[in-house]
Amino acid sequence: MIRIIDTCHQINQLFDHSVFNYPRWEAYINSVYDHSAHIFKEEMDGYIQSGQYTFERDFLPVLNAVYENPKLDILHNSFIEVTGHLSERVTGLFGKEPDIDIVLYLGLCNAAGWVTNINHNDTILLGVEKIIELDWTDVNSMYGLICHELGHAYHGQYGVLKQEAADDRQKYIWQLFTEGAAMYFEQALAGDFSYYHQDVNGWADWCGEHFRQILEDFDRDISGMKRYEQRYFGDWCDYYGHSDVGYYLGSRFVQHCMEKYEFDELICLPLDAVCELYMDFVRAP
């Protein structure tokens, strides 16, 4: 069952004279899920400790921009519209639905969408601060964002999402595959396998024109790629002036795999089999 948790009415109370107030936020997030604040703070601290980010420069302005922002109302209305009949759409297409919470909340710039497990609940976290920053507040963007994260949840509950990589190369092939599977899920729900929620200002056309270059660069980079230095996954990444190109590449990879497997078969494959499919993908004309 898909459960909807909407905390939007609480968000403006988390600021003191328009400035983000961490103690208020901590109490708020712990009221949604007991003893959960550390999960979000540890994720943020990982970026700060990398030395490339600071809270004051990179996080606080994004958080402060939420306060009394008219885009929050637009985002909230989009969320209500998208989640209204979501269970029926997923069940109608895939025959089953994940058992999961979908939570609209204020995070610590963790992600626009994030699938995790909190207190034994599989959870999709939708951070309003990142959604506003990315300007993904319209219905179409919200639909793509939610359905992408639902795709990860579906993979985790009806396939094998967590697998142990032997090295960085396997790790990033697996990330490419899992993001591609989530892209396929959202494209299937949209009824359009050329649909990308990231497609703003010609993003999809540019990725299509540079597909072979993206693939070759990714294949060369993955043997030594590190989480905070890679340029493929994340809106903060920069691949020749474009972000999130790994999602495009992952989508193309999974569509290639679908020539041999049904979706429910594909998401059950072990990592070694996915790596073999990746090598087929790299060698394909």
Side-chain angles (χ1 to χ4, degrees), residues 2-19:
I2 296 173
R3 293 169 296 276
I4 308 302
I5 300 173
D6 181 354
T7 74
C8 199
H9 65 286
Q10 298 174 257
I11 287 174
N12 279 330
Q13 302 167 20
L14 307 179
F15 297 83
D16 185 5
H17 296 91
S18 77
V19 177

Side-chain angles (χ1 to χ4, degrees), residues 90-145:
V90 172
T91 304
L93 186 59
F94 292 95
K96 49 188 179 282
E97 62 177 315
D99 183 28
I100 196 161
D101 297 345
I102 300 179
V103 185
L104 186 67
Y105 82 117
L106 180 74
L108 297 177
C109 302
N110 307 102
W114 183 20
V115 176
T116 188
N117 187 284
I118 302 180
N119 299 346
H120 308 294
N121 294 293
D122 282 342
T123 306
I124 293 172
L125 297 164
L126 300 171
V128 299
E129 74 287 357
K130 291 299 295 181
I131 295 171
I132 289 173
E133 181 191 28
L134 295 167
D135 201 20
W136 289 352
T137 59
D138 62 283
V139 171
N140 186 60
S141 298
M142 182 65 66
Y143 181 80
L145 179 59

Side-chain angles (χ1 to χ4, degrees), residues 19-275:
V19 177
F20 174 75
N21 184 298
Y22 180 82
R24 290 185 192 176
W25 176 87
E26 186 176 29
Y28 145 82
I29 203 66
N30 285 335
S31 74
V32 179
Y33 289 109
D34 285 343
H35 306 294
S36 63
H38 70 95
I39 298 171
F40 305 90
K41 188 174 186 301
E42 287 166 6
E43 175 75 11
M44 177 185 71
D45 286 346
Y47 286 94
I48 293 173
Q49 290 166 10
S50 75
Q52 298 184 46
Y53 303 89
T54 70
F55 179 78
E56 290 75 15
R57 184 189 67 214
D58 300 297
F59 291 83
L60 186 59
V62 177
L63 293 165
N64 287 343
V66 173
Y67 182 69
E68 293 189 347
N69 191 322
K71 290 184 178 180
L72 184 59
D73 289 333
I74 298 170
L75 181 164
H76 187 221
N77 290 333
S78 297
F79 177 81
I80 291 170
E81 181 170 341
V82 170
T83 56
H85 299 283
L86 188 58
S87 291
E88 295 92 326
R89 297 196 66 167
V90 172
T91 304
L93 186 59
F94 292 95
K96 49 188 179 282
E97 62 177 315
D99 183 28
I100 196 161
D101 297 345
I102 300 179
V103 185
L104 186 67
Y105 82 117
L106 180 74
L108 297 177
C109 302
N110 307 102
W114 183 20
V115 176
T116 188
N117 187 284
I118 302 180
N119 299 346
H120 308 294
N121 294 293
D122 282 342
T123 306
I124 293 172
L125 297 164
L126 300 171
V128 299
E129 74 287 357
K130 291 299 295 181
I131 295 171
I132 289 173
E133 181 191 28
L134 295 167
D135 201 20
W136 289 352
T137 59
D138 62 283
V139 171
N140 186 60
S141 298
M142 182 65 66
Y143 181 80
L145 179 59
I146 290 174
C147 292
H148 184 87
E149 302 310 325
L150 267 182
H152 285 305
Y154 187 95
H155 190 170
Q157 293 183 16
Y158 297 111
V160 185
L161 181 59
K162 296 184 182 296
Q163 301 204 31
E164 192 69 31
D167 52 31
D168 287 336
R169 181 176 179 81
Q170 282 197 346
K171 174 182 175 181
Y172 285 104
I173 290 172
W174 186 248
Q175 183 171 2
L176 185 75
F177 175 71
T178 59
E179 295 298 352
M183 290 300 304
Y184 178 89
F185 188 92
E186 69 170 280
Q187 289 171 336
L189 284 173
D192 181 1
F193 289 101
S194 63
Y195 167 81
Y196 296 90
H197 67 260
Q198 303 95 336
D199 189 17
V200 177
N201 298 325
W203 178 91
D205 287 341
W206 187 91
C207 289
E209 292 166 3
H210 295 83
F211 162 66
R212 180 54 57 178
Q213 177 189 350
I214 297 168
L215 176 56
E216 291 174 357
D217 285 345
F218 180 83
D219 189 55
R220 182 175 58 252
D221 288 352
I222 54 176
S223 293
M225 207 152 69
K226 302 301 178 186
R227 178 180 183 185
Y228 301 110
E229 299 170 4
Q230 56 82 26
R231 51 183 176 157
Y232 301 95
F233 303 103
D235 59 87
W236 59 88
C237 296
D238 186 341
Y239 179 86
Y240 296 103
H242 295 78
S243 63
D244 280 345
V245 299
Y247 295 88
Y248 178 86
L249 188 63
S251 175
R252 292 284 297 264
F253 175 35
V254 168
Q255 289 179 24
H256 173 82
C257 296
M258 294 288 293
E259 295 174 5
K260 297 182 178 180
Y261 294 94
E262 296 294 330
F263 186 67
D264 278 1
E265 295 176 304
L266 186 63
I267 61 174
C268 291
L269 291 179
L271 177 54
D272 287 346
V274 170
C275 289

